[in-house]
Amino acid sequence: MKNTPIPYDIVKQKIAESGLPKVGRATIREIVRLVNEIEAATGLKYIRMEMGVPGMEPNSVGIEAEIQALRSGVASKYPMIDGVPALKKEISRFVKNFINIEVDEKNCIPTVGSMQGGMASFLLTNRCFKEKDTVLFIDPGFPVQKQQLKVLGMKYETFDVYNYRGDKLKAKLESYLNKGNISTILYSNPNNPSWICFSENELQIIGDLSNKYDVVIIEDLAYFAMDFRKDLSKPGQAPYQQSVANYTKNWIMLISSSKAFSYAGQRIGCMVVSNELYKRRFPDLKRFFSSDEFGYAMLYGAVYSLSSGTCHSAQYGLAAMLKAANDGTFDFVESLKEYGAKAKIMKQLFVDNGFQIVYNMDEDKPLADGFYFTISYPGFSGEDLIDELVYYGISAISLVITGSEKTEGLRACVSQVQRSQFGDLEARLKQFHTDNPIK
Amino acid sequence: MKNTPIPYDIVKQKIAESGLPKVGRATIREIVRLVNEIEAATGLKYIRMEMGVPGMEPNSVGIEAEIQALRSGVASKYPMIDGVPALKKEISRFVKNFINIEVDEKNCIPTVGSMQGGMASFLLTNRCFKEKDTVLFIDPGFPVQKQQLKVLGMKYETFDVYNYRGDKLKAKLESYLNKGNISTILYSNPNNPSWICFSENELQIIGDLSNKYDVVIIEDLAYFAMDFRKDLSKPGQAPYQQSVANYTKNWIMLISSSKAFSYAGQRIGCMVVSNELYKRRFPDLKRFFSSDEFGYAMLYGAVYSLSSGTCHSAQYGLAAMLKAANDGTFDFVESLKEYGAKAKIMKQLFVDNGFQIVYNMDEDKPLADGFYFTISYPGFSGEDLIDELVYYGISAISLVITGSEKTEGLRACVSQVQRSQFGDLEARLKQFHTDNPIK
C-alpha cells in the first residue's frame, strides 16, 4: 500500500464503490461525485480543478435589481419572448462598449443561459440551406455543444486547432468548407479548455471564409474579457474583446453571464445576432418555421418553443449589471483578474514539479493566464494521470472529451481552488514528482 | 360609417396599418399588438380575452423564498440539472397530496416552464422506438406544442375530440394506434381552449390503450385543480385532480406554475416521470443519447442540453409555494376560483345576447366554469366573428388554430377581464346582438 497524501486505501475503496471502470475516463459530474465522497470520508480537501464554475460572488447590483423586480410583481407576468426592453438596450450598449460592434437592440435576445443560446442557434443556422446540414467545431471545446447536436439528430465535424494556428488555419478550414456541407463554424474565445485566444490574423481568416463560403460563425464568448494580457475593462475604449464580427456580417455571439458576471445560477445569457443576419431570408427555413426571416424564426420559432423566454426577474438582474458596466460604475473585469493571478502561480507550481503546459502559445505569444490551463506529465496518458492524481488530492478532467488530440493532457480550472490551498498543492505535486521520477 | 362602441374609423385605420389581411386569422400576439394600439389611440379599454395569462398576483411565500435564496448566494452557483432537493421533495409530495399518485423525488424535475417540459418530453418519447415517430394530440389544444414538433422536424397527428367523447373515444384512438407509428398521446386536462375535462371513463380508456399499445401519455396539467365543480384544494383528501396515472404506468405529467401559482414570469414548471417509465431502458434511445435509460437520457441528454437546468432562485420560490400547499397552510385553489366565478357570469352575458357555448358538455355533465370558454354566434364563422367583435371592444382568438373542427368558434379567456368591465361587456354584446339580428 502506497503512502499518498489522501489515504490510499480509502481512495481505492471509494473508486471501487463508484463502479467506475477507470476514473480517468469518467465524466465531469462522475468525478465531482467521487471526490465529494472521498472528501467526506477522509475529511481532507482536494485541489478541485474538474469543474468550470464561477468562484466568486456576483456584484450586488444584479441581486438587488432582481429583488426589486420580484417585489414589483414581474413573477406573475410572462416575459416578452424577445426580452425586456431594458435588458435589450444594455446588451446592445455592452456589445458596442466592450467589442466595438454596432448591433440593434432588437437583435439582442436573452436566453436561458448560453446553453439555450447554442441550442436555438443550431436550430436555425444548420437549416438555412438544405445542403448545409453540418456544424464545424474548431476544437478543443465544450463537449455539451456536440451533445446538443446529437440530441437534435444533427451532424458535426471537428478538428483540433493545435497544429493549425496562424496562416495554417486557412487551408485547414477550407478543406472542410469546400465540401459544401458546413453551415456553421463554432469556437469559444478565450477557449475552453485550452485558453488559447485567436489572433486578429486568425479571426480575419475565419471571417473572410465565412463570407466566401456563406457560413454563420457562432462565437461563444463564455469567458468574455478574460484575456488578461490586455485591459478590456474600459467601456468605449480600446482595446476591445476580440471578435470575428470585425471581419464578417454573418455572426451570432453567445455572451454568458455565468463567468463574466458570476451569475451561473440564474441561467441567463445573451444571444446577439448581427443586423444583416437577423433580417436575412432563407427560404429553406420554411421547412421548420412559419417564417423564412432569420430573426423572426429565431424568436417566434426557436426561442418561443424552447421555453417561452427567460426568467423575468433574472432579466432585470442582468440588465442592472450590464448597465453598471456600460456606465463605467462597475468594473466587472477587475474581480475576474484573480482567476488569472491564481493561474499564473498554479501553472508555475505544476511546471516546477515536472509537468508541462500542453497548449502554451498563441502563435508567437505566450498564452494568457486565465480560467483554465492544460497540463501533462511525461510518461503518462491523460487518463492515467487523472487516475494517479486522485490519490494526491488533485482532480481535473481529460482533454480527450473536449475534442483535443492531446491525449496526454488534462484541463485544470482555477476557480474553485483557494489561495490558502497553494501550500497543499505544492506539497502534493512535490510528492507526486518524487513518487514518479521522470526518466 | 357604422356607430360602434369603439370608433369605427380608428379601428379600421389601425387594422389597415397593422398590415393584417384579416384580423380573424391573426396569431394571438398579432391581436395583442393591434388591440394595444387601438386602446392607445382611443383611450378606450377592451374586454381582452385573447391571451391566457394569469390575472392575479402570486402568493408572497414564493417571492419571499426567492428573495431569501438570492440573498443567500444561489445566483452564482449552477443549479443541479435535476433540481434542488427541496423542490424535488415538494413536487413529489404535491403529486401525492393532490393527485394521490406516488412518485419518487428523483423523478420530479424542474423545467423552464412546461414549454421546456414539453420539448424535453418529445425529445425522449418520440424516439424510444424507431418505428414510433409520431405524437398524437387529442385536440383542441395549445398550438405551440405542435410548433415545437415542427421545429424539431418531428411528426404529429391530431383529431378534435368533440365528436368522440365517452366510449366513442376508444375506437377513435385505436384507429390511430393500430397503425403502429404513434409514440405518444398528449392532451391538456382541463383542456385549453375548450375547458372540457375528461371523465374517469375517458381517462381509463386512454390509460388502457397506453398499456395495450405501449404508448407514453403526456398529461399537460397547465390548469391544475381548476375543475371547480369539485373541491380539489385539500392536501391528502379526495377528491383529487384526475389523472391517467391511475390507469397506466406509462406517463409524464407537466405541472405548470404559471396559472395554478400565477408564476408565469419566472418560467418554472415541473416535469414528473412515472417510476416505471423513468428506469425503463429503450435501446433505440442510443441513437440520440449516451444512455438508453429513459430518466438518465431525459436529465443528462435532454434537460442538460436545453438549458443546463432551471433558474436557481425560482426553484426555491416554487418549492416554498408547493410546501405551503402541501402543508395545508396555503389554499392555492381558493384564489383561482375567481376565474370560474367570472366565467359563469361572462358566459351568461354572451348566451343572453344570442351567443352559443361551443364545447358545453363533459359527456352528460355541463362543462365547468374556468379559465377559458368557447363561443360562437349564428351566421358567423369564427374568423368573421373576431373581425366584427374588434369594433365592439372585444378580443378573442379563433378555435381553428387550436386544432378544433369548430370553425365557427372562438376561445375566450377570463383572466384579464375585470369585474368592473362587466357593464361594458353587457352593453357591447347587446349592441352587437342588435346590430346583427339572428335570422
Side-chain angles (χ1 to χ4, degrees):
Chain A
M1 201 177 88
K2 290 202 267 182
N3 179 21
T4 50
I6 313 294
Y8 187 87
D9 51 346
I10 300 182
V11 176
K12 206 169 168 63
Q13 182 199 334
K14 288 292 165 192
I15 291 173
E17 285 172 18
S18 75
L20 293 170
K22 191 162 169 65
V23 179
R25 238 174 266 152
T27 66
I28 298 178
R29 275 157 204 281
E30 285 167 340
I31 292 181
V32 169
R33 197 183 314 129
L34 173 67
V35 174
N36 284 346
E37 295 199 353
I38 300 174
E39 285 189 340
T42 60
L44 294 169
K45 217 164 150 4
Y46 268 64
I47 309 296
R48 300 194 72 150
M49 308 192 300
E50 73 273 25
M51 230 186 138
V53 298
M56 38 195 79
E57 289 309 307
N59 190 289
S60 63
V61 71
I63 303 293
E64 292 307 322
E66 272 217 54
I67 290 172
Q68 198 188 322
L70 284 167
R71 294 218 189 278
S72 77
V74 302
S76 68
K77 293 170 189 66
Y78 281 99
M80 292 166 72
I81 305 283
D82 58 337
V84 304
L87 176 56
K88 295 172 79 69
K89 177 183 170 183
E90 296 303 331
I91 298 172
S92 171
R93 286 182 71 204
F94 188 79
V95 171
K96 176 62 185 166
N97 279 331
F98 293 96
I99 319 183
N100 200 30
I101 295 292
E102 306 264 359
V103 66
D104 294 346
E105 293 175 14
K106 187 180 68 171
N107 309 1
C108 299
I109 304 163
T111 56
V112 185
S114 280
M115 190 72 96
Q116 183 180 71
M119 200 77 165
S121 297
F122 295 144
L123 285 170
L124 269 288
T125 64
N126 215 14
R127 289 153 152 191
C128 289
F129 300 102
K130 262 191 194 120
E131 67 280 10
K132 293 183 177 175
D133 62 356
T134 304
V135 175
L136 175 62
F137 290 94
I138 304 181
D139 265 339
F142 181 41
V144 187
Q145 287 165 335
K146 282 151 209 141
Q147 179 182 309
Q148 290 179 315
L149 290 169
K150 184 172 179 186
V151 166
L152 290 174
M154 290 181 172
K155 289 183 267 189
Y156 67 86
E157 302 186 19
T158 161
F159 69 94
D160 183 342
V161 76
Y162 187 83
N163 289 318
Y164 304 97
R165 298 299 303 271
D167 290 333
K168 286 189 226 162
L169 185 58
K170 181 163 187 281
K172 183 65 176 175
L173 283 173
E174 287 207 279
S175 73
Y176 292 91
L177 295 173
N178 61 25
K179 292 185 300 170
N181 65 326
I182 302 296
S183 67
T184 312
I185 297 175
L186 187 151
Y187 57 82
S188 61
N189 199 40
N191 176 278
N192 168 13
S194 71
W195 211 252
I196 61 174
C197 297
F198 285 128
S199 67
E200 284 299 326
N201 175 41
E202 289 167 326
L203 290 170
Q204 175 148 19
I205 288 169
I206 296 169
D208 289 349
L209 293 177
S210 156
N211 290 322
K212 179 172 174 188
Y213 291 94
D214 199 3
V215 164
V216 178
I217 310 299
I218 302 178
E219 195 164 62
D220 183 355
L221 300 172
Y223 304 90
F224 195 94
M226 287 167 71
D227 178 353
F228 302 118
R229 293 171 300 190
K230 295 174 267 187
D231 179 8
L232 304 173
S233 70
K234 301 283 180 296
Q237 286 180 36
Y240 297 100
Q241 164 74 42
Q242 291 179 295
S243 173
V244 78
N246 291 300
Y247 307 105
T248 177
K249 304 295 185 189
N250 225 351
W251 53 262
I252 296 174
M253 294 175 192
L254 304 178
I255 303 177
S256 169
S257 70
S258 295
K259 310 307 187 315
F261 293 94
S262 301
Y263 224 59
Q266 297 302 84
R267 311 305 311 124
I268 182 163
C270 313
M271 176 169 59
V272 184
V273 182
S274 78
N275 292 344
E276 291 73 15
L277 181 58
Y278 192 96
K279 64 185 174 204
R280 195 169 156 195
R281 289 181 184 278
F282 298 93
D284 284 354
L285 284 178
K286 285 266 197 172
R287 294 171 296 161
F288 302 96
F289 303 98
S290 64
S291 170
D292 63 357
E293 193 203 56
F294 191 93
Y296 192 97
M298 176 64 88
L299 271 182
Y300 297 104
V303 174
Y304 189 16
S305 295
L306 286 171
S307 68
S308 285
T310 303
C311 176
H312 217 160
S313 65
Q315 294 196 42
Y316 288 96
L318 180 56
M321 288 191 289
L322 292 176
K323 181 171 192 306
N326 286 324
D327 292 348
T329 59
F330 163 42
D331 181 347
F332 74 99
V333 180
E334 183 55 36
S335 64
L336 303 174
K337 288 181 185 158
E338 172 66 2
Y339 293 136
K342 287 198 295 187
K344 190 179 164 75
I345 299 167
M346 290 168 69
K347 282 161 82 170
Q348 194 60 51
L349 291 175
F350 276 93
V351 168
D352 287 347
N353 288 288
F355 285 79
Q356 291 164 1
I357 304 301
V358 182
Y359 292 84
N360 62 349
M361 296 292 280
D362 280 336
E363 296 198 78
D364 54 350
K365 269 197 269 187
L367 212 72
D369 295 316
F371 201 73
Y372 300 110
F373 59 91
T374 54
I375 47 173
S376 64
Y377 194 84
F380 278 82
S381 74
E383 290 180 359
D384 290 342
L385 187 53
I386 292 174
D387 276 357
E388 195 61 23
L389 283 174
V390 73
Y391 290 94
Y392 290 78
I394 295 170
S395 50
I397 64 157
S398 165
L399 278 184
V400 171
I401 63 170
T402 69
S404 168
E405 290 167 4
K406 306 307 253 177
T407 55
E408 74 277 20
L410 308 188
R411 181 190 82 174
C413 178
V414 305
S415 64
Q416 289 187 288
V417 182
Q418 306 304 313
R419 280 177 183 261
S420 59
Q421 295 184 280
F422 286 173
D424 278 349
L425 176 60
E426 184 168 19
R428 292 173 188 181
L429 289 173
K430 273 206 173 118
Q431 186 175 344
F432 178 86
H433 192 32
T434 305
D435 294 348
N436 299 277
I438 297 167
K439 281 142 203 160
Chain B
M1 201 176 85
K2 291 201 268 183
N3 180 22
T4 49
I6 312 295
Y8 186 85
D9 51 345
I10 300 182
V11 177
K12 207 169 165 62
Q13 183 200 332
K14 288 292 166 192
I15 292 172
E17 286 173 16
S18 75
L20 293 171
K22 192 164 169 62
V23 180
R25 239 174 266 152
T27 65
I28 298 177
R29 274 157 204 280
E30 285 166 340
I31 292 180
V32 168
R33 198 183 312 131
L34 174 67
V35 174
N36 284 346
E37 295 199 352
I38 300 174
E39 285 190 340
T42 61
L44 294 169
K45 215 164 151 4
Y46 268 63
I47 309 294
R48 300 194 71 152
M49 309 192 299
E50 72 273 25
M51 231 187 137
V53 297
M56 38 195 78
E57 290 307 308
N59 189 291
S60 63
V61 71
I63 303 293
E64 293 306 323
E66 273 217 52
I67 290 172
Q68 198 188 323
L70 284 166
R71 293 219 189 277
S72 77
V74 301
S76 68
K77 292 170 189 66
Y78 280 99
M80 291 165 72
I81 306 283
D82 58 335
V84 303
L87 176 55
K88 296 173 77 70
K89 176 182 170 186
E90 294 304 331
I91 298 171
S92 171
R93 286 183 70 204
F94 188 78
V95 171
K96 175 63 186 167
N97 278 330
F98 293 96
I99 319 181
N100 200 29
I101 296 292
E102 306 264 359
V103 65
D104 294 346
E105 293 175 14
K106 186 180 68 170
N107 309 0
C108 298
I109 304 162
T111 56
V112 184
S114 280
M115 191 72 95
Q116 183 179 72
M119 200 77 166
S121 296
F122 294 144
L123 286 170
L124 269 288
T125 64
N126 216 15
R127 289 153 153 191
C128 289
F129 300 101
K130 262 192 193 121
E131 67 281 9
K132 293 183 178 176
D133 62 357
T134 305
V135 175
L136 175 63
F137 289 94
I138 304 181
D139 266 340
F142 181 41
V144 187
Q145 286 165 335
K146 281 150 210 141
Q147 179 183 308
Q148 289 179 316
L149 290 169
K150 184 172 179 187
V151 166
L152 290 174
M154 289 182 172
K155 289 183 267 190
Y156 66 87
E157 302 186 21
T158 160
F159 68 94
D160 184 343
V161 76
Y162 186 82
N163 288 317
Y164 303 97
R165 300 298 304 271
D167 290 334
K168 286 189 227 162
L169 186 59
K170 180 163 188 281
K172 183 64 176 175
L173 284 173
E174 289 208 278
S175 73
Y176 292 92
L177 296 173
N178 61 25
K179 293 186 299 170
N181 64 327
I182 303 296
S183 67
T184 312
I185 296 175
L186 187 151
Y187 57 82
S188 60
N189 199 39
N191 176 279
N192 169 13
S194 72
W195 212 251
I196 61 175
C197 297
F198 285 127
S199 67
E200 285 299 326
N201 176 40
E202 290 167 325
L203 290 171
Q204 175 148 20
I205 288 169
I206 296 169
D208 289 350
L209 293 177
S210 155
N211 290 323
K212 179 172 173 188
Y213 292 93
D214 199 2
V215 164
V216 177
I217 310 298
I218 301 179
E219 196 165 60
D220 183 356
L221 300 172
Y223 304 91
F224 195 94
M226 287 167 71
D227 178 355
F228 302 119
R229 294 172 300 191
K230 295 173 267 185
D231 179 7
L232 304 174
S233 70
K234 302 282 179 298
Q237 285 180 37
Y240 297 101
Q241 164 74 40
Q242 291 180 294
S243 173
V244 77
N246 291 299
Y247 306 105
T248 176
K249 304 294 186 192
N250 224 352
W251 53 262
I252 296 175
M253 294 174 191
L254 304 178
I255 304 176
S256 169
S257 69
S258 296
K259 310 308 188 314
F261 293 95
S262 301
Y263 224 60
Q266 297 301 85
R267 312 305 311 122
I268 181 162
C270 314
M271 177 169 57
V272 185
V273 181
S274 79
N275 292 344
E276 291 74 14
L277 182 57
Y278 193 94
K279 65 185 173 204
R280 196 169 154 193
R281 289 181 184 275
F282 298 94
D284 284 355
L285 283 179
K286 285 266 197 171
R287 294 171 296 160
F288 301 96
F289 302 98
S290 64
S291 170
D292 63 357
E293 192 204 57
F294 192 93
Y296 192 97
M298 174 66 88
L299 271 183
Y300 297 104
V303 174
Y304 189 18
S305 295
L306 286 170
S307 68
S308 285
T310 303
C311 175
H312 217 160
S313 66
Q315 293 196 43
Y316 287 96
L318 181 56
M321 289 190 289
L322 291 175
K323 181 172 192 306
N326 285 324
D327 292 349
T329 59
F330 163 41
D331 181 348
F332 73 100
V333 180
E334 183 54 35
S335 65
L336 303 173
K337 288 181 184 158
E338 172 65 3
Y339 294 136
K342 288 198 294 185
K344 189 177 163 76
I345 298 167
M346 290 168 69
K347 282 161 82 170
Q348 194 60 50
L349 290 174
F350 276 94
V351 168
D352 287 348
N353 288 288
F355 285 79
Q356 292 164 1
I357 304 300
V358 182
Y359 292 83
N360 62 349
M361 296 292 280
D362 279 336
E363 296 199 77
D364 55 349
K365 269 198 268 186
L367 213 71
D369 296 315
F371 201 72
Y372 300 109
F373 58 91
T374 55
I375 47 172
S376 64
Y377 192 83
F380 279 82
S381 74
E383 289 180 0
D384 290 342
L385 188 52
I386 291 173
D387 276 358
E388 195 60 23
L389 284 175
V390 74
Y391 291 94
Y392 290 78
I394 294 170
S395 51
I397 64 156
S398 165
L399 279 184
V400 171
I401 62 170
T402 68
S404 169
E405 289 167 5
K406 306 308 252 175
T407 56
E408 75 277 22
L410 308 188
R411 181 191 81 174
C413 178
V414 305
S415 64
Q416 289 187 288
V417 183
Q418 306 303 313
R419 280 177 182 261
S420 60
Q421 295 184 281
F422 286 173
D424 279 349
L425 176 59
E426 183 168 19
R428 293 173 188 181
L429 289 174
K430 274 206 172 119
Q431 186 176 343
F432 178 86
H433 192 31
T434 305
D435 294 348
N436 298 280
I438 297 168
K439 280 139 204 161

